Amino acid sequence: MGKQVIYIDAGPILSDRLSGIGHLTLNMIRGLLAREDLKEFYEIRLLAPAAKAYLLKQWDLSDVKVTHIPLLARIWNVWPRFSFAPPIDLFLGKGVYLFPNYKRWPLMLSPSITYVHDISFEIFPQFTEPRNLAMLRGNVPTWINKSTLVITDSDSSKKEIIDHYEIKEDKIRSIYCGVDADLFQPASDAEVKAVKKKYGISMPYLFFLSNLEPRKNIVRLIEAMQLLPQAYKKKYALVMVGGMSWQNEEIHAAIDAATQAGWTIIKPKAYVPDEDVPALLTGAEMLVHPALHEGFGIPVAEAMACGTAVVASDIPVLHEVAASAAVYADPENPADIADKIQIVMTDESLRSRLQSAGLDRAQGFTWAEATDRLVGYIKEISRQ
């Protein structure tokens, strides 16, 4: 009997600047390729539009086969939205299909696993670009229903998906994101000094790490900073690392108002490579992550892995991730965010405890564990 094929949509890693989903996809692929127990019974193939398949070479996935899809990338990207589109397994072959970025391609003969990382577009629809909102609302329920299994990033996200779409609990599983322990660890003093010089950071700083978009609650973070004692104005900066998203006019206005009032806000104009982030985290007084909604909250896990104290939004998923290794603030109350920042800033014993607890907590988020769980689910559905 021949090997079963695991087909993986490689779309999220067809870029030289990976999103969070791109990092998850790359680590998922690497994890599966490293599993000796899979090689006897399964063959892994990546699916990529022919014109973009060359972008896979940068990730050094030497042991994987690539199936070049003879379609333009834009056609491949919209294929899952068409109810009349022919099932792709009629052309590519029967196997187990993994879709890491919400979109599930039509299938006829094959089981599938679809990742739905969160449903923030349903919980906070006002923070999703209208065309993307319409696309997600119009398709995600179908993609979920037609998948053999759905994977999401946390138990909190799992509950939201079950409650919102009224699907059976045994249809959806949660797998925590991992943290790259080789990269995210406390940086040396020399590394911190070098990265601060690189980005023009000359004073102690609070750190924000995520896309600059309304769901991340950045305007209230900047308001909270301005509620800190006036003495902090000359002493601390806010460093913000993350790509600009849509609907960020209010964010720009808040940054401008704060800087005009004398606060220091540093937003690097150039892309900040992943390799610089651990030193930026290590050098920070704390990470402040006041998001209104998350599927997991990877910046919190990465901060903990670097031994950085965390002030996090008081929402269920961040309690699930950080447990007692963070101080929690009401994300809708800038005064409470400011109060929690000041508490962590002034209480050295608390900050030390958070740093130690975070290092311990982060050890539980590994790509090896994520791969173990995924392998179990692949074997489960391939036996059906």
Side-chain angles (χ1 to χ4, degrees), residues 71 98 144 252 271 290-291 314:
L71 293 172
L98 267 59
I144 287 175
H252 283 298
Y271 171 72
D314 191 5

Side-chain angles (χ1 to χ4, degrees), residues 48-51 67-73 75-76 79 91-92:
T67 296
H68 293 188
I69 306 299
L71 293 172
L72 295 174
I75 301 299
W76 179 244
W79 188 288
F91 305 100
L92 302 179

Side-chain angles (χ1 to χ4, degrees), residues 192-201:
V192 170
K193 183 178 180 181
V195 83
K196 288 173 70 175
K197 181 179 180 181
K198 179 177 179 179
Y199 295 105
I201 304 169

Side-chain angles (χ1 to χ4, degrees), residues 115-156:
Y115 280 72
V116 177
H117 301 281
D118 65 71
I119 55 168
S120 60
F121 59 91
E122 299 283 16
I123 309 300
F124 289 97
Q126 69 272 30
F127 296 151
T128 304
E129 190 273 328
R131 289 180 59 185
N132 198 36
L133 176 64
M135 185 277 291
L136 291 168
R137 282 183 159 175
N139 290 283
V140 167
T142 299
W143 294 335
I144 287 175
N145 288 331
K146 291 191 174 182
S147 299
T148 311
L149 279 181
V150 173
I151 290 176
T152 192
D153 298 345
S154 64
D155 291 339
S156 298

